[in-house]
Amino acid sequence: MSRIGKAPIEIPAGVTVKVENNEVKVKGPKGELSQKFHQDLTVAVEGNQIVVSRPSDDREHRAQHGLFRALIHNMVVGVSTGYKKEMELVGVGYRATSNGQVLELSLGYSHAIYFKLPAEIKVEAKSERNKNPLIILESCDKQLLGQVCAKIRTFRKPEPYKGKGIKFVGEVIRRKSGKSASAK
């Protein structure tokens, strides 16, 4: 049996969960999320726990069991505590500013990049002297937050020779040495 799928999900205080018509709706202090799940699975709210079960040990059912348990868990954590990602701009002259839901990036191109963020995501851009600029993104939807971070990262991926680009805080970029002097 799936080790992830059979673990019950604890419902924290202030979070309400509704299950109807193959859809789970989770509401909490940070927001409201919903997710449709596989029609063969059963999701039940028992006391302050959510239990996901499957009808058989088919390969399809085992895969869906763990997946939807993890998705529901991410929703519960998102609406109760939320998710936060920090991205760092490494490079001379790289800047980021935020105006509402628009993130303006200056990444060494001939033009500035304006990126409109979804309404569910809160953005903050920090620039301190002698430190790399930071972009701090917060949301209750883990999947959407990850997609937005991946999109921002594609504007200037970290390169292995100088380490310039947009990277996550704490991420280690594998570095290459570059050209070495030829022996004569």
Side-chain angles (χ1 to χ4, degrees):
M1 198 169 172
S2 170
R3 282 182 251 173
I4 292 172
K6 69 181 178 181
I9 303 165
E10 293 291 327
I11 302 173
V15 175
T16 58
V17 179
K18 280 187 192 172
V19 181
E20 53 190 33
N21 301 343
N22 284 359
E23 188 174 20
V24 177
K25 292 182 181 180
V26 183
K27 190 174 185 180
K30 297 272 183 179
E32 185 175 349
L33 294 171
S34 65
Q35 173 72 47
K36 289 195 178 287
F37 58 90
H38 197 270
Q39 66 269 12
D40 294 342
L41 299 178
T42 55
V43 177
V45 180
E46 299 170 357
N48 66 337
Q49 291 184 335
I50 304 170
V51 178
V52 181
S53 56
R54 64 176 187 245
S56 70
D57 280 343
D58 289 349
R59 186 178 185 90
E60 173 78 12
H61 290 156
R62 286 183 306 191
Q64 300 298 327
H65 188 207
L67 168 72
F68 284 106
R69 189 266 177 204
L71 290 176
I72 294 168
H73 179 262
N74 289 343
M75 288 169 34
V76 170
V77 172
V79 298
S80 61
T81 60
Y83 290 101
K84 182 178 180 179
K85 295 259 188 185
E86 294 182 1
M87 302 180 87
E88 184 177 14
L89 279 67
V90 180
V92 177
Y94 288 7
R95 286 189 304 277
T97 55
S98 62
N99 299 331
Q101 290 301 103
V102 177
L103 183 65
E104 181 184 351
L105 299 167
S106 176
L107 300 172
Y109 295 119
S110 62
H111 59 283
I113 297 170
Y114 295 94
F115 184 63
K116 184 157 176 27
L117 295 159
E120 297 88 9
I121 293 182
K122 295 182 186 89
V123 65
E124 181 185 351
K126 284 187 182 178
S127 294
E128 293 182 27
R129 193 166 169 83
N130 295 330
K131 288 189 178 176
N132 292 327
L134 288 176
I135 302 169
I136 300 165
L137 300 163
E138 293 183 55
S139 179
C140 62
D141 191 346
K142 186 176 185 179
Q143 189 174 349
L144 180 67
L145 184 64
Q147 284 180 325
V148 168
C149 287
K151 180 64 177 170
I152 291 171
R153 187 181 162 104
T154 61
F155 295 136
R156 185 69 91 169
K157 279 192 164 182
E159 53 97 15
Y161 296 102
K162 292 183 179 177
K164 292 169 58 171
I166 301 174
K167 68 181 189 96
F168 292 103
V169 172
E171 179 184 8
V172 177
I173 304 297
R174 198 168 141 244
R175 301 294 294 272
K176 292 183 179 178
S177 61
K179 286 186 179 180
S180 58
S182 62
K184 287 186 179 181

